[in-house]
Amino acid sequence: ALGKGSDLEKAFATAALVYNNSADPEGKLSKAETKNLLQTQFGGFIRGQENKPKYQEIISTLDEELENKIDFEDFMILLVSLTLMSDLLQEIKNMKTTK
């Protein structure tokens, strides 16, 4: 759908597609499914974060209240939160691109 979209548009479209492929018919994920999706699809950003208090807080909320489900908006907030605290983000910031 975004064949001619910008890189950023394609990135968000990919995130939406990955989420939708895992979501239930109501468009939601259980917290356990959300945790698994983050670990399998976002490992590069969360690797090495396990000892950070904010990471532990985010992940612990996924282990609580099993009946609550995550919608796409909440999922994207999790992605942004995990990205902002990631060591990988700092590595990316330190890189210079040449075009």
Side-chain angles (χ1 to χ4, degrees):
L2 285 175
K4 294 183 180 183
S6 71
D7 290 343
L8 192 54
E9 288 171 326
K10 290 176 188 176
F12 274 89
T14 299
L17 182 62
V18 169
Y19 177 89
N20 286 336
N21 285 340
S22 298
D24 66 18
E26 295 176 354
K28 296 186 176 187
L29 290 174
S30 72
K31 289 188 174 188
E33 291 168 327
T34 301
K35 184 177 177 180
N36 183 59
L37 186 61
L38 290 171
Q39 290 171 333
T40 59
Q41 294 290 319
F42 214 58
F45 279 91
I46 62 176
R47 193 169 297 112
Q49 307 307 305
E50 296 84 1
N51 294 323
K52 291 184 178 179
K54 186 65 177 170
Y55 175 84
Q56 291 174 350
E57 179 185 328
I58 290 170
I59 295 303
S60 71
T61 63
L62 297 178
D63 291 331
E64 299 169 359
E65 302 178 38
L66 297 176
E67 67 243 21
N68 289 342
K69 292 191 173 187
I70 302 291
D71 61 17
F72 181 68
E73 181 178 310
D74 290 334
F75 180 75
M76 291 303 289
I77 291 169
L78 283 173
L79 283 183
V80 170
S81 298
L82 291 170
T83 300
L84 290 174
M85 74 176 74
S86 174
D87 295 332
L88 182 57
L89 179 62
Q90 191 58 48
E91 289 178 33
I92 292 168
K93 286 181 176 180
N94 291 335
M95 292 174 55
K96 298 279 185 190
T97 58
T98 56
K99 284 195 173 190

